[in-house]
Amino acid sequence: MLHYALIFFVVAIIAAVLGFGGIAGAAAGIAKILFFVFLILFIVSLVMGRRPRV
């Protein structure tokens, strides 16, 4: 998931440099959403991994 966020971030940077503002904004928004989903899943996996086994 973090890989896709980085890909969309790079696409947003390239689109912004080439002057495609709409595409750059959309790609940056998608990258931000994917990053936060990755962050939430990462924190949940850390918490679940620290639970004692029953």
Side-chain angles (χ1 to χ4, degrees):
M1 178 123 9
L2 186 59
H3 182 263
Y4 291 123
L6 290 175
I7 288 175
F8 275 106
F9 180 68
V10 170
V11 168
I13 290 175
I14 292 172
V17 168
L18 295 177
F20 298 107
I23 296 172
I30 292 171
K32 189 183 342 180
I33 290 169
L34 287 175
F35 177 73
F36 284 122
V37 169
F38 163 78
L39 197 62
I40 290 169
L41 290 176
F42 178 70
I43 291 171
V44 167
S45 69
L46 281 179
V47 169
M48 296 301 272
R50 294 214 152 291
R51 284 190 356 199
R53 301 203 182 237
V54 178

